[in-house]
Amino acid sequence: MSSTRILIRRHGRRIAIALLTLPGLSGMYAAHAASVGTDAWSAVDPRIGTGGDGHTFPGATVPFGMIQLSPDTAMPDFKHAYKWAAGYQYGDSSIMGFSHTHFSGSGHSDLGDVLLMPIAGDMRLEPGDPARPGSGYRSRFSHDSEVAQAGYYAVTLSDYGVRAELTAGRRVGWHRYTFPAGKPAHVLLDLRPSIYDYTGKVLWASLRVHDDGTVTGCRTTRGWAPGRELCFAMRFSQPMVSRRLLDRETDVVYKGFKGPGNQPVDNDAQNGRALVGVFDFGALKKPLEVKVAISPVSEANAVANLDQDGVGWDFDARRAEAKTAWAKALAVVDIDAPKTARTQFYTALYHAMLSPTLSMDVNGDYRGPDHAVHRAKDFEFYSTWSLWDVYRAQQPLMVLLHPARSTDFIRSLIAAREASPFGILPVWAYQGLETWCMIGYHAVPVIADAYIKGVRGFDAEKALQAMVTSASYGPYGDLADYMKLGYVPIDKEPEGASKTLEYAYDDWSLAQMAKAMGKADVAATFEKRAGNWKNAWDPRTGFMRARLADGTFREPFDPTAAGYGSDFTEGNAWQYSWYVPQDVAGLIGAMGGDEKFVAKLDALFDAKVDPAHFKHVEDITGLIGWYAHGNEPSHHIAYLYDYAGAAWKAQARLKQIMDSQYAARPDGLSGNDDLGQMSAWYVFTALGFYPVTPGSDEYAIGRPFVARASLHVGNGRTFTVSATPLDDAHPYVGAVTLNGKPLARTFLRHAEIVAGGELHFTMQAQPDKRWGTAVSARPASMSAYRP
């Protein structure tokens, strides 16, 4: 038996149809469901954020897929590689190849595995200098020839006259190369380059051609995650006429004894640290297709991934499948907005669904942080966790829109903790391995937020144990002193003020989950620790500061100082003094009350700041005064006006941020997208609310930036946000209703959203300075009264 319900909602002159299905529906209904998201899919522009500091990639992938098949315009030495953290910069004029793994929007990087380059005519084995066309195998290209869509990328390599097309499945990347007639066709495989490259990064690599023409190999690198091994399996749609396997390393005195074969064309296998494969196909009469599967475990698993996920030779069918996967994922939100706003919204939603990424083979094998191989049972293992970033909005967005996916995410975090040699949850991990990048134990609020909002399907007892252990592991970030003193002393641990503040918030979120589970003793312990933010507060200067082990504040103090050696992580006192999301009311009291709090917020935004002040801290960008939207510690700040009874000022600041920090252009992100966090902020803000405090069931209300948005929240329910009139002449909220009843408070509860209904904003030209002023109307805080 199958069940179908059709919801029809009239949006002005448009009619949006949401088809809710159970397994077993007919192809006709399934096709109709796919069509619902096609409009959203067509609005996505993956090239947004590929210029400037956005660090996104334009290539092909599917939601949370293992493969990110994208062009690389440069892989420079790591000292000069910041711009190329995703392998591609829109301002470049040449492409060196197409590799299969990328981060989206990271501030540090790695990957760029299994680089392929189609070549017509003469072969060159080195990439060459982009400033000297023809000096190597890289090719010039024009953006006029690019097509970038969700799940598909194409470009013409003008030096070769080759049309390259890319699409992706979950574990397989698909290439189609159309070569010019009459010229010999080659595919070069280069296992030497990496994103954030340097001499000696490749520890070892292997390359093999099997009797059936399958090419397999692995390489081990000592990059961001030391000792990372990635394997691959590759097949071609047409037989090779010849091939060469080369070891290009020249600075090694001893290479052992020579294996069988007198020439590179005789070699069936090659090992070394600088391997290149050249595969020749002669003059082709039809396009060449290539399919590549990867595995974090072994060549055998890569072959199995290719056998199961890479069946047949039909590039157009695979492209259509990728499109359908994205259409389905994006259809969870249906908006009415002008074309540019639609592009920005759906591209942001697309970027928010690129990670974490599948990191498990078809047989369930995955690599753990102990470098050992483990097997998932009844769940999919995901990695690529930029937790310092994504706990704020990207993961809460997944809890709201894709809660079933969140279950696998949390089970993955727990599994990683169980395999960790340190016994703690991931901090910044990818392909199962830990990098120890950034601060805090922010897997804790990811789990707590999901649990508080009703996500189940994981072992809550194991999760809580993992959270407590992670929050109590003394060697990590000087938690030992934090637990003893109530703060992280700056003379024992760098960035002590930031760590004190972030640990205190993580502790609060842990307490919320323990409380919900009935663990009163655990809740009490961590609720007390959540108040440790007060130990970083200096009432004399009015800023958060780092203390020494003897209890005194470190001197001298400059609230504008940022960077290595300062009290803070990627920020200064102006930016971090607002980081008490669990107790904003307490912070307001510490600052002297509503009026002084609002005045200081205004001073933050209105300050005249030369961006050159942060030239030594590359992540602090997108300045509005001291507010830095290009970096995460500022992301919640505009919503803090709600907590001081000045919601109208939040509305004005949000418009200022949306207008200045996002655009539908390659340079349309003011800072690193950080695996979807910048984009998730945009999605939430466009909808009119934001999770200031993940681990709470509340969202602070801002103002919407789309006229109508329907969130299909599951179980046949739709939550609609609408606003009239929505234009630049009416930037302020005049009245709010929830399900037709006036809403006097400046927050929404998660249960109200997932129950379905409508939140309506009446917009006006002048601010309503009375709405949300009562203490009971404000979002909750540890210190706030709530009847």
Side-chain angles (χ1 to χ4, degrees):
M1 295 290 291
S2 62
S3 173
T4 308
R5 287 199 289 171
I6 300 178
L7 301 181
I8 302 179
R9 294 184 175 273
R10 188 173 300 276
H11 295 174
R13 290 175 294 175
R14 289 179 62 229
I15 296 179
I17 303 176
L19 184 67
L20 306 163
T21 68
L22 295 177
L25 288 178
S26 71
M28 179 184 69
Y29 287 125
H32 179 73
S35 73
V36 172
T38 301
D39 192 31
W41 170 86
S42 65
V44 173
D45 183 356
R47 293 196 293 182
I48 291 176
T50 60
D53 293 324
H55 295 179
T56 60
F57 63 83
T61 188
V62 295
F64 312 104
M66 184 185 291
I67 292 283
Q68 306 88 38
L69 179 51
S70 188
D72 297 303
T73 58
M75 291 188 181
D77 181 273
F78 77 101
K79 293 181 180 179
H80 308 96
Y82 179 73
K83 284 179 61 178
W84 290 273
Y88 178 100
Q89 265 288 323
Y90 187 83
D92 290 345
S93 60
S94 65
I95 288 172
M96 65 180 289
F98 307 101
S99 66
H100 292 73
T101 58
H102 296 83
F103 295 130
S104 179
S106 60
H108 191 69
S109 203
D110 194 8
L111 305 179
D113 297 293
V114 195
L115 182 98
L116 296 184
M117 185 63 168
I119 296 170
D122 296 338
M123 276 295 309
R124 297 177 181 86
L125 298 178
E126 301 300 322
D129 184 348
R132 295 171 49 230
S135 62
Y137 63 69
R138 67 169 53 248
S139 172
R140 289 168 289 186
F141 75 105
S142 167
H143 291 302
D144 292 339
S145 76
E146 278 187 315
V147 177
Q149 299 169 338
Y152 175 78
Y153 175 86
V155 68
T156 297
L157 302 172
S158 54
D159 287 347
Y160 301 122
V162 174
R163 184 66 173 172
E165 298 174 89
L166 314 174
T167 193
R170 302 187 73 206
R171 297 178 179 88
V172 178
W174 299 80
H175 309 238
R176 181 164 65 188
Y177 303 141
T178 303
F179 291 88
K183 285 193 173 183
H186 317 276
V187 175
L188 181 140
L189 165 65
D190 200 338
L191 294 182
R192 297 169 296 176
S194 289
I195 298 172
Y196 273 52
D197 215 350
Y198 52 87
T199 302
K201 183 172 182 179
V202 177
L203 293 173
W204 199 247
S206 61
L207 187 56
R208 179 184 174 191
V209 179
H210 298 250
D211 290 344
D212 66 354
T214 300
V215 178
T216 62
C218 298
R219 76 169 181 177
T220 304
T221 55
R222 52 179 171 190
W224 198 5
R228 181 179 65 93
E229 183 177 14
L230 192 80
C231 301
F232 69 92
M234 175 168 58
R235 292 184 180 131
F236 303 98
S237 63
Q238 300 182 59
M240 306 174 211
V241 298
S242 63
R243 77 290 193 287
R244 290 175 285 163
L245 307 183
L246 306 165
D247 181 2
R248 301 285 288 172
E249 189 173 33
T250 59
D251 58 351
V252 175
V253 176
Y254 179 69
K255 292 188 178 181
F257 290 93
K258 183 178 176 298
N262 294 318
Q263 301 293 330
V265 294
D266 297 325
N267 287 347
D268 289 324
Q270 185 65 268
N271 296 276
R273 295 193 299 183
L275 300 188
V276 176
V278 179
F279 308 104
D280 307 312
F281 297 91
L284 294 174
K285 295 183 179 180
K286 60 181 181 180
L288 176 70
E289 293 188 27
V290 188
K291 52 187 176 184
V292 181
I294 61 173
S295 165
V297 172
S298 67
E299 286 184 48
N301 277 16
V303 171
N305 291 344
L306 190 59
D307 286 342
Q308 181 167 311
D309 288 2
V311 175
W313 293 104
D314 192 337
F315 181 91
D316 290 326
R318 304 292 84 77
R319 178 184 176 186
E321 288 170 357
K323 175 181 176 180
T324 298
W326 277 114
K328 180 179 178 182
L330 295 167
V332 70
V333 184
D334 182 33
I335 69 167
D336 284 348
K339 181 179 179 181
T340 299
R342 287 181 62 78
T343 295
Q344 289 180 253
F345 183 91
Y346 282 115
T347 303
L349 188 56
Y350 162 83
H351 281 144
M353 292 192 285
L354 295 181
S355 62
T357 57
L358 182 68
S359 190
M360 185 190 81
D361 297 325
V362 293
N363 65 353
D365 284 355
Y366 63 90
R367 184 79 61 178
D370 54 357
H371 287 263
V373 177
H374 304 269
R375 180 158 291 186
K377 296 180 180 179
D378 303 320
F379 77 101
E380 291 188 332
F381 182 79
Y382 288 83
S383 194
T384 315
W385 286 108
S386 182
L387 286 159
W388 186 77
D389 303 294
V390 301
Y391 83 88
R392 304 168 195 263
Q394 188 264 346
Q395 280 298 297
L397 185 64
M398 295 306 102
V399 168
L400 179 61
L401 300 181
H402 292 291
R405 186 86 67 170
S406 290
T407 298
D408 273 352
F409 293 163
I410 293 170
R411 294 189 67 178
S412 298
L413 291 170
I414 297 169
R417 181 260 169 174
E418 292 175 338
S420 168
F422 305 94
I424 64 176
L425 290 160
V427 176
W428 210 123
Y430 66 99
Q431 292 182 5
L433 305 180
E434 184 57 71
T435 72
W436 305 111
C437 185
M438 305 311 294
I439 68 172
Y441 29 98
H442 294 312
V444 167
V446 168
I447 298 170
D449 187 62
Y451 188 83
I452 292 298
K453 292 172 180 171
V455 173
R456 296 295 184 268
F458 62 91
D459 189 325
E461 295 288 344
K462 277 188 178 181
L464 187 65
Q465 180 185 9
M467 295 158 75
V468 170
T469 302
S470 299
S472 307
Y473 185 69
Y476 173 71
D478 201 23
L479 271 172
D481 277 317
Y482 173 78
M483 290 185 287
K484 177 182 176 182
L485 301 172
Y487 62 91
V488 178
I490 194 68
D491 47 340
K492 297 279 191 73
E493 180 78 9
E495 304 170 349
S498 290
K499 290 175 181 174
T500 298
L501 294 169
E502 297 200 27
Y503 294 172
Y505 161 70
D506 290 342
D507 292 338
W508 175 86
S509 68
L510 197 163
Q512 304 317 297
M513 182 161 165
K515 192 182 302 181
M517 292 175 63
K519 309 288 186 179
D521 54 340
V522 176
T525 296
F526 286 93
E527 190 88 22
K528 181 178 179 181
R529 280 173 50 165
N532 283 340
W533 68 267
K534 298 172 185 176
N535 296 326
W537 174 250
D538 177 16
R540 183 181 65 83
T541 61
F543 288 100
M544 298 292 179
R545 297 178 60 183
R547 291 182 185 267
L548 301 170
D550 65 8
T552 61
F553 288 108
R554 179 165 75 164
E555 300 290 352
F557 174 65
D558 176 3
T560 74
Y564 185 78
S566 76
D567 292 358
F568 302 98
T569 302
E570 292 186 6
N572 63 17
W574 270 106
Q575 292 148 5
Y576 253 102
S577 291
W578 311 98
Y579 191 80
V580 192
Q582 74 276 22
D583 194 9
V584 182
L587 182 62
I588 291 171
M591 288 189 176
D594 291 347
E595 187 174 338
K596 290 183 178 180
F597 184 83
V598 169
K600 191 154 189 170
L601 275 174
D602 287 344
L604 169 87
F605 282 101
D606 294 336
K608 304 299 181 185
V609 179
D610 184 350
H613 182 82
F614 294 113
K615 65 182 179 182
H616 63 297
V617 190
E618 55 197 4
D619 294 282
I620 300 179
T621 57
L623 293 177
I624 303 174
W626 290 114
Y627 176 89
H629 191 72
N631 207 28
E632 278 65 27
S634 290
H635 276 191
H636 68 297
I637 293 176
Y639 286 92
L640 298 185
Y641 286 105
D642 279 6
Y643 294 74
W648 67 275
K649 287 203 169 191
Q651 298 154 23
R653 295 301 184 190
L654 291 171
K655 182 163 179 22
Q656 186 180 10
I657 296 167
M658 291 287 268
D659 287 351
S660 64
Q661 305 299 305
Y662 296 90
R665 305 187 307 263
D667 63 348
L669 293 175
S670 61
N672 309 150
D673 197 47
D674 284 316
L675 283 73
Q677 168 57 28
M678 284 275 289
S679 290
W681 188 96
Y682 182 96
V683 171
F684 268 122
T685 298
L687 294 174
F689 51 92
Y690 185 79
V692 169
T693 315
S696 161
D697 67 345
E698 294 182 1
Y699 302 86
I701 294 176
R703 50 144 296 183
F705 288 85
V706 294
R708 192 175 190 90
S710 296
L711 285 65
H712 306 298
V713 292
N715 296 320
R717 301 186 182 108
T718 296
F719 184 77
T720 300
V721 180
S722 58
T724 55
L726 187 70
D727 54 37
D728 287 344
H730 300 85
Y732 294 103
V733 174
V736 184
T737 60
L738 178 63
N739 300 326
K741 298 179 180 179
L743 189 69
R745 49 183 160 90
T746 59
F747 64 91
L748 278 177
R749 295 186 178 92
H750 184 78
E752 292 168 337
I753 298 174
V754 297
E758 182 166 5
L759 180 70
H760 180 71
F761 293 81
T762 300
M763 307 300 291
Q764 62 188 32
Q766 299 301 318
D768 180 352
K769 298 181 180 181
R770 299 167 299 172
W771 182 62
T773 55
V775 172
S776 60
R778 306 175 189 182
S781 292
M782 285 176 61
S783 304
Y785 168 73
R786 173 64 57 71

